[in-house]
Amino acid sequence: MLTLFHQPLCPQSRFVRIALGEYGVVPNLADERPWDRRQEFLVINPAGTTPVLVEDGRPPVAHPAMIAEYLDETRGSGLGEHRLLPQEMAARIEVRRLTMWFLEKFHTEVSGPLVLERVFKRHMTVKQGGGSPDIDAIRAALSNIRYHLAYIGWLVRTRDWLAGPRMTYADLAAAAHLSSVDYLGDVPWHEDESAKTWYARVKSRPSFRPLLVEMHAGIAPSKTYADLDF
Amino acid sequence: MLTLFHQPLCPQSRFVRIALGEYGVVPNLADERPWDRRQEFLVINPAGTTPVLVEDGRPPVAHPAMIAEYLDETRGSGLGEHRLLPQEMAARIEVRRLTMWFLEKFHTEVSGPLVLERVFKRHMTVKQGGGSPDIDAIRAALSNIRYHLAYIGWLVRTRDWLAGPRMTYADLAAAAHLSSVDYLGDVPWHEDESAKTWYARVKSRPSFRPLLVEMHAGIAPSKTYADLDF
């Protein structure tokens, strides 16, 4: 049995949910509010971050990039040539590079601040860092997203998928992070048609569907969030 | 041939240098000042971060955690039972968890801000973010390091090395990050004798030696930095 401790609009959690979907695995989902620093959760992951994947008989796996490695090592061969982390070394390097780009750089510059300022802060106490959103942080993220979207567009104009000829973890990481931002209506899709077309393809995956039908935190999703033909 | 683009006091670069030393590999070292955003370097690593490992015939490998995976996959078996990323799954999970703890959490909370404020900012132009150090950021990092040191001490009182019975990437990541901070004299070693004893063991590795004899950026290292019996 697999349990995923996640936070619904946390983009790192979404990446793992989509990946699990691609492996055909349906985990128990445990909603976790990392800002509460719940004692039992800190025992599972002392770093206090979501997501954390717990599989019976194994230590908990934290950090989205390490969960991706774990899933590939335990279930990757079952996907055959659709493996999300390719076997061939050059492809492997490129998939990991772009996966980290979104899990780290895009998260720091775009999805992390937007979700924190617009969603999480509403639920946090003042002591936890809650309060009114930092408008400057939002403005910076909205400016940063434009060059990331252009980068995605550039990549998929030269390749079928972000990291090469097949869909990989890189696509799932990028799409997961974009989906959190898209929920909030903050993706300027009109700026890059190639990026938009690529996202529509990832969004159409059955693995994505569960995320598109949820409503979170009393915030309605943007009009086109669940629309496969946005 | 291997080339490592690195920045001498960048703790992430140090982690890879020490790891390469453990594999018995001597790379070409190319000093890179990431804040210059040199065009040729951005072609190698669009994220613009150090370290980047370039091996002939392969795409450049960026991100210290992904370089660690790459080195294990290409050279790990040569280390036999001293493999830095163990083969057994539970050990693998724990090594990766702690490696990410230092590469990400310790870096964000301690080594990143200290090296930025005390060293890199001296070399940056105002436009690059240079200028006088942010005293609040330094104060926060000096406060944060205490609980990290206590965590290391707690771990090595229950195990021989950070992640288990053998030295792994977790030890190299922790020691590399601490070494940057130690160069600046900012590690309160007196607070945890177990952590200090553990660090003395890692620091005594031949892989560590090249780092201990260098002087950087016109800043003299702390008195005990190169001292194996500090």
Side-chain angles (χ1 to χ4, degrees):
Chain A
M1 197 61 219
L2 279 172
T3 302
L4 183 70
F5 290 84
H6 80 127
Q7 174 55 221
L9 281 176
C10 154
Q12 313 283 37
S13 300
R14 291 178 154 234
F15 166 59
V16 174
R17 285 183 70 188
I18 299 166
L20 287 168
E22 290 294 327
Y23 288 108
V25 173
V26 181
N28 287 327
L29 286 178
D31 266 40
E32 185 67 39
R33 296 154 44 111
W35 53 86
D36 284 343
R37 299 188 59 75
R38 201 167 56 85
Q39 204 49 47
E40 296 86 343
F41 183 61
L42 291 176
V43 170
I44 294 170
N45 179 20
T49 51
T50 49
V52 180
L53 186 71
V54 181
E55 179 148 32
D56 285 352
R58 294 261 169 80
V61 189
H63 201 290
M66 298 298 115
I67 295 174
E69 298 285 336
Y70 174 79
L71 289 173
D72 179 69
E73 289 171 0
T74 54
R75 291 160 174 85
S77 61
L79 296 185
E81 63 170 14
H82 299 291
R83 199 158 183 165
L84 296 168
L85 182 61
Q87 295 284 80
E88 194 270 314
M89 189 53 84
R92 211 168 169 80
I93 291 171
E94 182 65 351
V95 168
R96 283 177 171 153
R97 177 182 81 81
L98 284 167
T99 302
M100 292 312 283
W101 179 285
F102 291 98
L103 298 186
E104 202 159 86
K105 192 172 175 64
F106 189 89
H107 186 238
T108 303
E109 298 178 355
V110 181
S111 52
L114 285 176
V115 171
L116 172 66
E117 300 300 334
R118 291 210 198 269
V119 186
F120 295 169
K121 271 195 174 176
R122 297 186 182 202
H123 302 286
M124 296 169 159
T125 64
V126 173
K127 214 183 145 191
Q128 287 168 336
S132 45
D134 177 340
I135 303 298
D136 289 340
I138 291 177
R139 195 174 292 135
L142 293 179
S143 163
N144 292 336
I145 196 175
R146 303 179 61 195
Y147 88 85
H148 283 281
L149 208 61
Y151 187 44
I152 290 171
W154 178 78
L155 286 168
V156 295
R157 280 191 298 277
T158 60
R159 310 160 166 185
D160 285 347
W161 297 89
L162 281 191
R166 290 198 312 271
M167 191 186 77
T168 66
Y169 277 141
D171 299 280
L172 306 190
H177 277 258
L178 278 166
S179 80
S180 290
V181 181
D182 194 36
Y183 190 98
L184 303 170
D186 285 337
V187 185
W189 291 117
H190 61 277
E191 290 198 5
D192 200 300
E193 198 59 38
S194 311
K196 185 177 166 177
T197 308
W198 159 84
Y199 184 64
R201 277 194 287 154
V202 187
K203 193 175 168 179
S204 307
R205 306 280 307 170
S207 62
F208 226 86
R209 207 167 300 144
L211 281 73
L212 298 178
V213 296
E214 295 174 352
M215 193 176 118
H216 302 293
I219 304 171
S222 66
K223 273 186 187 156
T224 58
Y225 171 72
D227 191 349
L228 294 181
D229 191 26
F230 57 110
Chain B
M1 197 60 222
L2 278 173
T3 302
L4 184 70
F5 291 84
H6 79 127
Q7 174 55 221
L9 282 176
C10 155
Q12 313 283 36
S13 300
R14 291 179 155 236
F15 167 59
V16 174
R17 284 184 69 189
I18 299 166
L20 287 169
E22 290 294 327
Y23 287 108
V25 173
V26 182
N28 288 327
L29 285 177
D31 267 40
E32 185 67 40
R33 295 155 44 112
W35 53 85
D36 284 343
R37 300 187 59 74
R38 200 166 57 85
Q39 204 49 47
E40 296 86 342
F41 183 62
L42 291 175
V43 171
I44 295 170
N45 178 20
T49 51
T50 50
V52 180
L53 186 70
V54 181
E55 177 148 35
D56 285 352
R58 294 261 170 80
V61 189
H63 202 292
M66 297 299 115
I67 295 174
E69 298 285 336
Y70 174 78
L71 289 173
D72 179 69
E73 289 170 1
T74 53
R75 291 161 175 84
S77 61
L79 297 185
E81 64 170 14
H82 298 292
R83 200 158 182 165
L84 296 168
L85 182 61
Q87 295 283 81
E88 194 271 314
M89 190 53 84
R92 209 167 170 81
I93 292 171
E94 182 65 350
V95 168
R96 282 176 171 154
R97 179 182 80 81
L98 285 168
T99 302
M100 292 312 282
W101 178 285
F102 291 99
L103 298 185
E104 203 160 84
K105 192 171 175 65
F106 189 89
H107 187 238
T108 303
E109 297 178 356
V110 181
S111 50
L114 286 176
V115 171
L116 173 66
E117 300 301 334
R118 292 210 199 269
V119 185
F120 295 167
K121 271 194 174 178
R122 297 186 181 202
H123 302 286
M124 296 169 160
T125 63
V126 172
K127 214 184 145 191
Q128 287 168 337
S132 45
D134 177 339
I135 303 299
D136 289 340
I138 291 176
R139 195 174 293 134
L142 293 178
S143 164
N144 292 336
I145 196 174
R146 302 179 61 194
Y147 89 85
H148 282 281
L149 208 61
Y151 187 43
I152 290 171
W154 177 79
L155 286 168
V156 295
R157 279 191 298 276
T158 61
R159 310 159 166 186
D160 285 347
W161 296 89
L162 282 190
R166 291 199 311 271
M167 190 185 78
T168 65
Y169 277 140
D171 299 281
L172 306 191
H177 277 259
L178 279 166
S179 79
S180 290
V181 181
D182 194 37
Y183 190 98
L184 303 170
D186 285 338
V187 185
W189 292 117
H190 61 277
E191 290 198 6
D192 201 301
E193 197 59 37
S194 311
K196 185 178 166 177
T197 308
W198 159 84
Y199 184 65
R201 279 193 287 152
V202 187
K203 193 176 168 179
S204 307
R205 306 281 305 171
S207 62
F208 226 87
R209 206 166 302 143
L211 282 73
L212 298 178
V213 296
E214 295 173 353
M215 194 177 119
H216 301 294
I219 303 171
S222 65
K223 273 187 185 154
T224 58
Y225 171 70
D227 191 349
L228 293 182
D229 192 26
F230 58 110

